[in-house]
Amino acid sequence: MADRRVTHPILEVQQKIIRDKLSKIKYKILVLSCKGGVGKSFISASISLLLALRGKHVGIFDADLHGPSIPLILGIRDKHVLGDSEGNLIPVNGPHNIKVISLTFLMSDPTKPLVWRGPLKTRALMELLMKTKWNDINYLIFDLPPGTGDEALTLVQSIPNITGALIVTVPSLVSEAIVLKAMNFCEELGIKILGVVENMAYYTCPENNKNYPLFKISSRESLLKDKAKLLVSLPFDPRVTEAIDKGEYPEFIKNTNIPLVSELNRLVDEIIK
């Protein structure tokens, strides 16, 4: 296996600072897919909320610079990051006491596009990691950007003792061909794959309570084989969008009678067992 670790002296200093800052956080979980639009940020936010509801101390690092959805899903889009006297960034205190850091909180107008080249984006992510003061959390969820380029690579190589990665997909060949790259990315870097989350796998008809697949294939058959374990297949629930739009998703996810929420809780069971 080729050694992909970057050895620039300045980067090595930055990575040491980051490793020192993150070393006391017991569980560090990556959520990735290498493809946009499969619900990666939704999964990151959901498992963070459910972990917090179980009494865990949770933080989220929103590393998706071009499409930071975490603040919107958690209903904290209008919040701002504060600094302390030592130059540290203090994460926004989100619902259920989740600590959240996202570039959105540092922008005067979050609707403006981020027109940055690769090196600048990588530097921004490293700065966020170096300067964020997480205090007492025991779970840190990394919502990674799509792709396996320099941003994701440098970020992942800077995180010490990664617990593992969740791979998010939808049951379509277009998505799964790219998600295989995410699996290979983890394998090449020696990151444990906790399992695969199949999002938007089916729809439950409210008239007859039957499940109907939204796609013709299943990750269980076409993608996994011996690569990784399929942890859950999540239903599509249109009420989620309504809850997010109203800023009510952190309350919505408390309702364990909703099939989607029940499956998400089963996913968290798999993560913490």
Side-chain angles (χ1 to χ4, degrees):
M1 181 193 309
D3 185 2
R4 299 176 181 271
R5 190 167 297 278
V6 180
T7 57
H8 192 282
I10 296 177
L11 183 59
E12 287 182 346
V13 172
Q14 293 174 330
Q15 289 178 327
K16 185 181 185 306
I17 294 171
I18 291 168
R19 291 184 187 117
D20 289 344
K21 282 210 166 190
L22 301 182
S23 61
K24 294 182 180 179
I25 301 173
K26 187 172 184 180
Y27 303 105
K28 294 173 279 287
I29 298 171
L30 311 179
V31 181
L32 71 159
S33 69
C34 293
K35 185 183 187 308
V38 299
K40 173 179 53 62
S41 296
F42 169 73
I43 298 300
S44 297
S46 296
I47 63 175
S48 298
L49 287 165
L50 291 174
L51 284 167
L53 287 170
R54 297 186 186 200
K56 309 299 183 184
H57 302 287
V58 184
I60 304 180
F61 185 86
D62 185 1
D64 194 344
L65 298 180
H66 289 290
S69 304
I70 295 294
L72 176 62
I73 297 171
L74 296 180
I76 52 173
R77 184 170 49 175
D78 297 328
K79 301 290 185 178
H80 296 283
V81 168
L82 300 176
D84 65 10
S85 59
E86 298 176 349
N88 295 305
L89 296 175
I90 307 302
V92 167
N93 195 36
H96 312 313
N97 207 33
I98 296 173
K99 310 303 179 186
V100 187
I101 197 75
S102 173
L103 192 66
T104 297
F105 301 139
L106 298 170
M107 298 176 68
S108 57
D109 183 358
T111 65
K112 288 186 176 180
L114 193 67
V115 188
W116 289 355
R117 295 189 184 276
L120 188 55
K121 290 187 288 183
T122 301
R123 192 191 317 166
L125 288 174
M126 296 295 283
E127 287 281 334
L128 280 177
L129 266 184
M130 282 193 296
K131 293 186 176 181
T132 300
K133 187 175 183 180
W134 294 103
N135 288 326
D136 298 324
I137 63 171
N138 45 29
Y139 281 85
L140 183 53
I141 310 299
F142 291 87
D143 184 37
L144 293 188
T148 56
D150 190 52
E151 300 139 63
L153 179 62
T154 304
L155 184 67
V156 168
Q157 289 180 334
S158 303
I159 303 169
N161 303 318
I162 295 172
T163 305
L166 290 174
I167 311 292
V168 183
T169 185
V170 296
S172 76
L173 288 175
V174 172
S175 171
E176 294 179 352
I178 297 174
V179 168
L180 280 171
K181 293 183 180 181
M183 292 184 175
N184 293 330
F185 175 79
C186 291
E187 289 176 358
E188 287 193 25
L189 295 175
I191 299 168
K192 178 182 178 182
I193 299 175
L194 300 176
V196 173
V197 179
E198 187 180 61
N199 196 23
M200 297 181 282
Y202 58 91
Y203 171 70
T204 303
C205 177
E207 297 295 328
N208 57 20
N209 208 36
K210 290 183 178 180
N211 295 333
Y212 295 92
L214 296 179
F215 303 89
K216 292 184 178 180
I217 64 171
S218 168
S219 295
R220 187 178 290 106
E221 301 168 356
S222 62
L223 173 65
L224 298 179
K225 297 181 181 177
D226 297 324
K227 273 275 186 183
K229 178 182 179 182
L230 179 64
L231 299 178
V232 288
S233 289
L234 299 175
F236 171 77
D237 191 329
R239 293 173 293 181
V240 168
T241 301
E242 181 180 358
I244 291 173
D245 289 347
K246 293 180 178 179
E248 297 173 354
Y249 185 67
E251 293 301 312
F252 175 92
I253 204 170
K254 289 181 178 180
N255 189 344
T256 55
N257 292 322
I258 297 173
L260 170 62
V261 176
S262 177
E263 288 299 297
L264 285 168
N265 269 292
R266 196 160 68 85
L267 172 60
V268 172
D269 290 341
E270 290 283 345
I271 292 172
I272 65 177
K273 72 178 182 181

